[in-house]
Amino acid sequence: MGGSTSMYFIFTVLFIVTVIITQFMNNMAACGVISPIAITIAGTLGADPRAFIMAIAIAAGCGYMTPFASGTNQRMSVFAKSTIVDYMRYGWPLIIITYLCALLILPHVFPFF
């Protein structure tokens, strides 16, 4: 059985990996790629996978750092004349805020064990 520190580390790694791949692919596909990995890890450690799955779902919605992470970003970048640098500059603080909220709330709503 893993300790709570390792659970938070796995939570963070899954969140970061999902955020990174969702910048370059559809968020539904990112969930489909990472979710089986999270379920397997949770099953191996004897943990409840719900917190990990919710973290992946939230992280997949964090397509803030590139204009091609979301169709909305693509359409709005034309009208706003935004560049990739603008998305990266303003996207990472939103991702950090989302991560901190998920890290503080999800383990209480969906306990690891």
Side-chain angles (χ1 to χ4, degrees), residues 64-65 83-94:
Y64 309 131
M65 288 188 60
T83 63
I84 291 177
V85 175
D86 293 332
Y87 280 96
M88 289 185 184
R89 182 181 308 141
Y90 301 115
W92 71 268
L94 293 172

Side-chain angles (χ1 to χ4, degrees), residues 35-109:
S35 291
I37 297 169
I39 293 169
T40 303
I41 291 171
T44 302
L45 297 174
D48 186 7
R50 292 183 296 170
F52 296 136
I53 298 301
M54 289 302 296
I56 290 168
I58 291 168
C62 292
Y64 309 131
M65 288 188 60
T66 59
F68 38 86
S70 168
T72 306
N73 291 357
Q74 292 173 353
R75 287 182 207 91
M76 292 312 295
S77 64
V78 173
F79 298 113
K81 296 182 175 57
S82 302
T83 63
I84 291 177
V85 175
D86 293 332
Y87 280 96
M88 289 185 184
R89 182 181 308 141
Y90 301 115
W92 71 268
L94 293 172
I95 291 172
I96 290 174
I97 291 168
T98 304
Y99 165 73
L100 291 174
C101 289
L103 185 67
L104 293 172
I105 295 170
L106 286 178
H108 295 291
V109 176

Side-chain angles (χ1 to χ4, degrees), residues 8-28:
Y8 285 106
F9 177 74
I10 293 168
F11 182 96
T12 301
V13 169
L14 290 171
F15 192 92
I16 291 170
V17 168
T18 306
V19 164
I20 290 170
I21 67 170
T22 200
Q23 302 307 316
F24 304 104
M25 65 190 300
N26 185 345
N27 57 358
M28 295 293 283

